[in-house]
Coordinates of all heavy atoms in Angstrom, one line a residue:
M550 N 120.9 118.6 170.1 CA 120.0 117.7 170.7 C 118.7 118.4 171.1 O 118.7 119.5 171.7 CB 120.7 117.1 171.9 CG 120.0 115.9 172.5 SD 120.0 114.5 171.4 CE 120.0 113.2 172.5
R551 N 117.5 117.9 170.7 CA 116.3 118.5 171.1 C 116.0 118.3 172.5 O 116.3 117.3 173.1 CB 115.1 117.9 170.3 CG 114.8 118.6 169.1 CD 113.7 117.7 168.3 NE 113.8 118.1 166.9 CZ 112.9 119.0 166.4 NH1 112.0 119.6 167.1 NH2 113.0 119.3 165.1
S552 N 115.4 119.3 173.2 CA 115.1 119.2 174.6 C 113.6 118.7 174.6 O 112.8 119.1 173.8 CB 115.2 120.5 175.3 OG 116.4 121.1 174.9
I565 N 107.8 119.0 172.1 CA 109.2 119.2 171.6 C 109.5 120.7 171.5 O 108.8 121.4 170.8 CB 109.4 118.5 170.2 CG1 109.2 117.0 170.4 CG2 110.8 118.8 169.6 CD1 109.2 116.2 169.1
M566 N 110.6 121.1 172.1 CA 111.0 122.5 172.1 C 111.6 122.8 170.8 O 112.4 122.1 170.2 CB 112.0 122.7 173.2 CG 112.4 124.1 173.4 SD 113.9 124.3 174.4 CE 113.2 124.4 176.0
K567 N 111.2 123.9 170.2 CA 111.7 124.3 168.9 C 113.0 125.2 169.2 O 113.0 126.0 170.0 CB 110.7 125.2 168.2 CG 109.4 124.5 167.8 CD 109.2 124.4 166.3 CE 108.0 123.7 166.0 NZ 108.2 122.4 165.3
N568 N 114.0 124.9 168.4 CA 115.2 125.6 168.6 C 115.4 126.6 167.5 O 115.3 126.3 166.3 CB 116.4 124.6 168.5 CG 116.5 123.8 169.7 OD1 116.2 124.2 170.8 ND2 117.0 122.6 169.6
I569 N 115.7 127.8 167.9 CA 115.9 129.0 167.0 C 117.3 129.5 167.0 O 117.8 129.8 168.1 CB 114.9 130.1 167.3 CG1 113.4 129.6 167.4 CG2 115.0 131.3 166.3 CD1 112.9 129.0 166.1
L570 N 117.9 129.6 165.8 CA 119.2 130.2 165.7 C 119.0 131.7 165.6 O 118.3 132.2 164.7 CB 119.9 129.6 164.5 CG 121.4 130.1 164.3 CD1 122.3 129.5 165.3 CD2 121.9 129.8 162.9
G592 N 114.0 127.1 172.4 CA 115.4 126.9 172.7 C 116.1 127.9 171.8 O 115.7 128.2 170.7
V593 N 117.2 128.5 172.3 CA 117.9 129.6 171.5 C 119.3 129.2 171.4 O 120.0 128.7 172.4 CB 117.8 130.9 172.2 CG1 118.7 132.0 171.6 CG2 116.3 131.4 172.2
I594 N 119.9 129.3 170.2 CA 121.3 129.2 169.9 C 121.7 130.5 169.3 O 121.1 131.0 168.4 CB 121.5 128.0 168.9 CG1 121.0 126.7 169.5 CG2 123.0 127.9 168.5 CD1 120.3 125.8 168.6
Y621 N 128.0 130.5 169.6 CA 129.1 130.3 168.7 C 129.6 131.6 168.2 O 128.9 132.4 167.7 CB 128.5 129.5 167.5 CG 128.1 128.1 167.7 CD1 126.8 127.8 168.2 CD2 129.0 127.0 167.5 CE1 126.4 126.5 168.5 CE2 128.6 125.7 167.8 CZ 127.3 125.5 168.3 OH 126.9 124.2 168.5
K633 N 128.5 123.4 160.5 CA 128.8 122.7 161.7 C 127.7 123.0 162.8 O 127.3 122.1 163.5 CB 130.2 123.1 162.3 CG 131.3 122.2 161.9 CD 132.4 122.5 162.9 CE 133.7 122.7 162.1 NZ 134.8 123.4 162.8
I634 N 127.3 124.3 162.9 CA 126.3 124.6 163.9 C 125.0 123.9 163.6 O 124.3 123.4 164.5 CB 126.1 126.2 163.9 CG1 127.3 126.9 164.3 CG2 124.9 126.5 164.8 CD1 127.3 128.4 164.1
F635 N 124.7 123.8 162.3 CA 123.4 123.0 161.9 C 123.6 121.5 162.2 O 122.6 120.9 162.4 CB 123.0 123.4 160.5 CG 122.2 124.6 160.4 CD1 122.8 125.9 160.5 CD2 120.8 124.6 160.3 CE1 122.1 127.1 160.4 CE2 120.1 125.8 160.2 CZ 120.7 127.0 160.3
Q636 N 124.8 121.0 162.0 CA 125.0 119.6 162.3 C 125.0 119.3 163.8 O 124.4 118.3 164.2 CB 126.4 119.1 161.8 CG 126.4 118.9 160.3 CD 127.7 119.1 159.6 OE1 128.7 119.2 160.3 NE2 127.7 119.1 158.3
E637 N 125.4 120.2 164.6 CA 125.5 120.0 166.0 C 124.2 120.3 166.7 O 124.0 119.9 167.9 CB 126.6 120.9 166.7 CG 128.0 120.4 166.3 CD 129.1 121.5 166.8 OE1 128.8 122.4 167.6 OE2 130.2 121.3 166.3
N638 N 123.3 121.0 166.1 CA 122.0 121.3 166.7 C 120.8 121.0 165.8 O 121.0 121.1 164.6 CB 122.0 122.8 167.0 CG 123.1 123.3 167.9 OD1 123.0 123.2 169.1 ND2 124.2 123.7 167.3
E639 N 119.7 120.7 166.4 CA 118.5 120.5 165.7 C 117.8 121.9 165.6 O 117.3 122.4 166.6 CB 117.6 119.6 166.5 CG 116.4 119.1 165.7 CD 116.6 117.9 164.8 OE1 117.4 117.0 165.3 OE2 116.1 117.9 163.8
I640 N 118.0 122.5 164.4 CA 117.5 123.9 164.3 C 116.2 124.0 163.5 O 116.1 123.5 162.4 CB 118.6 124.8 163.7 CG1 119.8 124.9 164.7 CG2 118.1 126.2 163.4 CD1 121.0 125.6 164.2
D641 N 115.2 124.6 164.1 CA 113.9 124.7 163.4 C 113.7 126.0 162.6 O 112.8 126.1 161.8 CB 112.8 124.5 164.4 CG 112.9 123.2 165.2 OD1 112.4 122.2 164.6 OD2 113.4 123.2 166.3
G642 N 114.4 127.0 163.0 CA 114.2 128.3 162.4 C 115.4 129.2 162.8 O 116.2 128.9 163.6
S680 N 119.9 121.8 154.9 CA 119.5 120.9 156.0 C 117.9 120.8 156.1 O 117.4 120.6 157.2 CB 120.1 121.4 157.3 OG 120.0 122.8 157.4
G682 N 115.5 123.1 155.3 CA 114.6 124.3 155.3 C 114.4 124.8 156.7 O 115.2 124.7 157.6

Side-chain angles (χ1 to χ4, degrees):
M550 193 62 150
R551 266 174 202 262
S552 315
I565 297 173
M566 187 193 270
K567 298 243 181 245
N568 288 329
I569 306 299
L570 184 70
V593 171
I594 297 138
Y621 291 85
K633 264 201 229 159
I634 298 173
F635 276 76
Q636 280 153 14
E637 286 171 16
N638 301 275
E639 188 86 38
I640 292 172
D641 301 280
S680 47

